[in-house]
Amino acid sequence: MLDEAMIGRIFRAESGRSVAALIRFFGDVDIAEDAVQDAFATALRKWPVDGLPPNPGGWITTTARKSAIDRLRRESRGRQLLGEVAVLAAGDESVVADEVPDDRLRLIFTCCHPALSVEAQVALTLRLLGGLSTQEVARSFLVSEPTMAQRLVRAKRKIKAARIPYRVPERPELPHRLKSVLAVLYLLYNAGSAEAIRLTRIVAELMPDEPEVAGLLALMLLTESRRTSRTRPDGSLVLLSDQDRTQWDRALINEGQAIVRWCLHRDEPGVYQLQAAINAVHSDAATAEQTDWPQIVALYDQLLAIAPTPVVALNRAVAIGEVRGPEVALALVEQLDLDNYHPFHATRADLLRRLGRDTEAAAAYARAALLAPTQAERDFLRNGGRGS
């Protein structure tokens, strides 16, 4: 029996494809978003009765498109827009002229137009393509939901007012969009988008000499190699140190490590390359005890030098804790201003527990659980970071 939660998960996975297709068809972000929401409401009524369609993504796009057309027919401006759409659709071969025939990649480049701020670019793409709610996007940026809602509205208005084209730019323009596009792809992957790796491969084909594109692809592959070992059959989380490494996907590891080696030969270190190198060190260790933590600390030192963010500093502190002990690591963690970031409290809780400060650790675990975005993470943290 399909329930609302299950239908919601399907829509989250498929909505980005549908929104992107409808934006290409109608040329309007709001129309596309509203239509997909209408399709969600229809699915909630029909799917529990009729069952899951054979092609849920196709059903969503078709239903949303019909909904948008019906709504536009009821409005005078909408009827005018439908006339314009009909003319464009008749000559739709123009879309094929783009080098990459993928609506989602076009939407990423549209959202990452330099007319928008970098923050707006990333937030808007997470909302439109990642299927994240405004609240989830706000949490990613550590801001309130009303603040993020205003930013998203302003970004969509800017796209419309500036008549930003819905296309993949020509090759000479690509480097100017690269930083934002890579940030968006990485966040889409972290949000659970199964398409993020495929889209990153396409960007890598477009820009084969860009080491940061290769670095991001390697990072995704090495992270993805551990997917099946991150959770137990009951859905509870498994820490990296406790994972069954025989379950890691060696084909993905080998591909990721080969890309990391190519990046090292280029000797143009960047944020994604260094993160990929850190993951490559983890994937080299047959057991958690064999992890080369000094090498990981050295890589984090380089990463912090080029990306001096509190999150990087937090991860570096964890690595230092493995080399120099929890007391040194805790002193570094306590200097960070990350009160609304649940991994900060989870890290602090683990270090306090290792130091025998159990009462403080319990309070930190409780704070981390309160901020955690998923039920599995909340359960894990409420159980003192030990899983079920």
Side-chain angles (χ1 to χ4, degrees):
M1 179 69 177
L2 287 168
D3 58 17
E4 183 172 347
M6 188 179 300
I7 294 172
R9 286 193 294 272
I10 294 170
F11 261 76
R12 176 166 177 157
E14 298 288 347
S15 64
R17 187 192 306 266
S18 298
V19 168
L22 292 173
I23 290 174
R24 174 170 61 86
F25 188 76
F26 293 105
D28 189 286
V29 174
D30 288 325
I31 290 173
E33 273 199 290
D34 291 345
V36 171
Q37 284 302 309
D38 289 344
F40 179 52
T42 303
L44 288 175
R45 293 196 309 272
K46 290 193 170 184
W47 288 7
V49 177
D50 300 340
L52 186 67
N55 179 2
W59 184 98
I60 293 167
T61 301
T62 300
T63 303
R65 179 169 164 168
K66 289 178 180 176
S67 173
I69 290 172
D70 289 343
R71 179 180 296 190
L72 290 170
R73 280 173 176 159
R74 295 192 295 268
E75 306 167 0
S76 58
R77 173 68 185 101
R79 289 192 292 274
Q80 179 184 342
L81 176 60
L82 283 175
E84 296 169 1
V85 166
V87 172
L88 291 173
D92 203 34
E93 287 77 16
S94 62
V95 174
V96 182
D98 277 353
E99 293 187 53
V100 184
D102 191 292
D103 287 327
R104 284 156 296 177
L105 199 61
R106 291 189 190 97
L107 182 52
I108 288 175
F109 277 101
T110 300
C111 292
C112 293
H113 193 278
L116 302 175
S117 70
V118 173
E119 188 177 71
Q121 292 169 6
V122 175
L124 188 59
T125 314
L126 286 176
R127 177 74 184 96
L128 297 179
L129 264 173
L132 273 67
S133 67
T134 302
Q135 182 183 49
E136 290 169 322
V137 177
R139 189 183 295 126
S140 298
F141 283 86
L142 307 180
V143 299
S144 69
E145 184 175 354
T147 297
M148 181 52 64
Q150 291 174 354
R151 291 178 185 175
L152 291 170
V153 168
R154 286 196 297 268
K156 287 187 283 186
R157 286 175 180 166
K158 182 73 172 181
I159 287 176
K160 185 178 293 187
R163 296 183 177 274
I164 292 173
Y166 178 64
R167 65 177 178 85
V168 175
E170 300 297 325
R171 286 188 184 275
E173 299 176 73
L174 289 172
H176 302 294
R177 308 275 191 94
L178 185 59
K179 182 177 180 180
S180 298
V181 169
L182 295 184
V184 161
L185 288 168
Y186 186 39
L187 287 170
L188 282 175
Y189 176 75
N190 287 335
S193 171
E195 292 294 320
I197 293 178
R198 189 182 68 81
L199 292 171
T200 304
R201 287 190 188 278
I202 294 174
V203 177
E205 290 171 8
L206 276 173
M207 309 179 75
D209 293 324
E210 287 286 349
E212 273 293 80
V213 179
L216 177 59
L217 179 58
L219 174 59
M220 288 182 178
L221 295 171
L222 292 166
T223 305
E224 187 69 14
S225 71
R226 302 193 293 268
R227 179 177 293 277
T228 58
S229 61
R230 286 195 209 110
T231 56
R232 296 183 176 87
D234 64 0
S236 60
L237 300 182
V238 182
L239 292 172
L240 176 62
S241 58
D242 297 328
Q243 289 175 15
D244 179 358
R245 299 184 179 218
T246 63
Q247 292 185 28
W248 290 3
D249 188 321
R250 295 310 308 181
L252 291 177
I253 289 172
N254 291 339
E255 184 182 2
Q257 289 184 337
I259 296 172
V260 169
R261 287 193 293 272
W262 178 86
C263 291
L264 289 173
H265 286 305
R266 288 293 298 262
D267 194 24
E268 300 174 36
V271 171
Y272 298 111
Q273 295 171 74
L274 288 168
Q275 290 182 76
I278 290 166
N279 276 269
V281 174
H282 282 297
S283 67
D284 268 337
T287 66
E289 292 72 25
Q290 293 175 329
T291 303
D292 187 348
W293 284 108
Q295 177 64 21
I296 290 176
V297 170
L299 288 167
Y300 269 121
D301 287 344
Q302 292 184 61
L303 183 57
L304 190 64
I306 63 174
T309 70
V311 172
V312 172
L314 177 66
N315 291 326
R316 175 177 174 271
V318 171
I320 287 175
E322 296 297 328
V323 176
R324 300 176 59 190
E327 189 169 358
V328 174
L330 182 61
L332 295 171
V333 169
E334 298 283 23
Q335 299 172 23
L336 303 176
D337 183 15
L338 287 169
D339 188 57
N340 291 320
Y341 185 58
H342 87 271
F344 165 76
H345 296 283
T347 299
R348 186 170 174 273
D350 178 66
L351 294 170
L352 288 166
R353 178 179 57 79
R354 288 164 62 186
L355 289 169
R357 295 160 61 176
D358 294 341
T359 301
E360 294 171 87
Y365 275 123
R367 174 65 175 158
L370 188 66
L371 295 170
T374 68
Q375 189 60 50
E377 289 172 289
R378 288 191 287 271
D379 291 342
F380 179 81
L381 293 164
R382 284 171 183 150
N383 198 38
R386 294 182 176 85
S388 59

